[in-house]
Amino acid sequence: MDFHAALDSDFARLVEVSSGSLDRPVPTCPGWTVADLDRHVAEVYLHKIACMRDGVEPKDWPPPQLATEEPLALLRRAHRELTEELAARADDEPSGNWYAPDPTVGFWRRRMAQETVIHRIDAELAAGTPSVDVPADLALDGIDEVLRIFLEYCAATWRDDFVDGLAAGGGRSVALAADGRRWLVAIGPDTLTVTEGDAAATAELTGSPDALLRWLWRRAGDETVTVTGDPTLVAELRGLLRTATQ
């Protein structure tokens, strides 16, 4: 899919709804205003530029001088510099990265598109404006990313943070289905695995790609999807996702 187009579209929407709303609190990011949200996104963009240019993640971030820039101006500058950097690089070029299986520019190309769509949803919620649906292809990709990279990889790499949730899962599975795809998350007792297929599950969530993506990132509640089976296992999955995406 065209991650550049997705990034640009959601960035433009983020700027649109942020304008005039900088002092509003962001309900999905407790303690933040929209100004804080915009500054965060800008700092993330600039961090990824450093990862790509230097080949390693910067040790001290963010640089203190970024705090002197007005949030929207900083966001616009960071987006411009990020898109220029991405356009100049191939997906298979190496880049500093916390995700060991794919330390490449291509990882960040995808990640920045997904980062931006979630945070423009945050800005829409803060502004109280109707939220634009996430296109199905971007949402399906985002579902796959959060399940396989944030949840499965993080649970294996930083296992101590997930021990209690994995034990509570007891090896049972939660299925998530949208638009012809169906993921199975097998939780515990010692590991967490994500596969796709038609195998039986103890609980299942179904909904549109947009709804499931928002649910996974805690930008929407259970009422936005259809939940069948054991609700306690769904709650355990929700708790594991909170740890993985905090």
Side-chain angles (χ1 to χ4, degrees):
M1 64 166 296
D2 190 341
F3 290 121
H4 280 265
L7 170 60
D8 288 347
S9 175
D10 286 308
F11 165 77
R13 177 65 175 163
L14 172 59
V15 169
E16 176 190 0
V17 297
S18 293
S19 300
S21 302
L22 292 176
D23 292 335
R24 287 176 176 257
V26 182
T28 41
C29 302
W32 280 9
T33 64
V34 173
D36 296 322
L37 177 73
D38 289 350
R39 187 173 299 281
H40 165 77
V41 175
E43 290 172 352
V44 168
Y45 286 172
L46 294 170
H47 181 272
K48 305 324 167 208
I49 293 170
C51 288
M52 290 184 279
R53 288 181 179 171
D54 301 337
V56 294
E57 292 190 276
K59 291 183 179 179
D60 297 315
W61 198 265
Q65 62 267 28
L66 296 185
T68 65
E69 293 190 53
E70 189 276 328
L72 272 175
L74 177 64
L75 179 59
R76 289 188 178 98
R77 175 174 74 82
H79 171 262
R80 182 181 67 254
E81 293 180 10
L82 174 68
T83 54
E84 289 172 354
E85 193 72 26
L86 288 170
R89 295 185 180 273
D91 279 352
D92 60 358
E93 289 187 49
S95 175
N97 198 332
W98 55 267
Y99 183 63
D102 187 17
T104 67
V105 169
F107 176 89
W108 290 128
R109 199 181 306 278
R110 176 199 203 187
R111 176 87 284 280
M112 290 302 94
Q114 295 295 345
E115 177 88 2
T116 306
V117 72
I118 295 301
H119 286 318
R120 70 90 166 152
I121 291 170
D122 290 330
E124 289 170 332
L125 292 169
T129 190
S131 185
V132 176
D133 283 352
V134 181
D137 58 348
L138 183 65
L140 290 169
D141 179 80
I143 293 167
D144 194 74
E145 183 203 43
V146 70
L147 291 177
R148 295 184 187 276
I149 293 178
F150 283 91
L151 188 58
E152 184 177 35
Y153 176 77
C154 291
T157 305
W158 295 283
R159 186 179 176 278
D160 288 350
D161 296 334
F162 296 84
V163 167
D164 292 343
L166 293 177
R172 296 171 295 166
S173 294
V174 179
L176 301 99
D179 207 21
R181 293 185 68 177
R182 185 173 184 268
W183 293 263
L184 289 121
V185 181
I187 304 172
D190 299 311
T191 61
L192 183 148
T193 60
V194 178
T195 57
E196 286 192 59
D198 298 325
T202 303
E204 184 155 352
L205 292 91
T206 58
S208 68
D210 172 84
L212 274 183
L213 180 68
R214 292 172 190 252
W215 187 92
L216 287 165
W217 280 101
R218 304 186 314 282
R219 267 60 182 185
D222 291 350
E223 71 280 359
T224 62
V225 294
T226 299
V227 179
T228 57
D230 185 354
T232 62
L233 188 58
V234 173
E236 292 295 344
L237 174 61
R238 188 81 149 178
L240 289 165
L241 285 162
R242 180 178 296 277
T243 301
T245 59
Q246 62 185 356

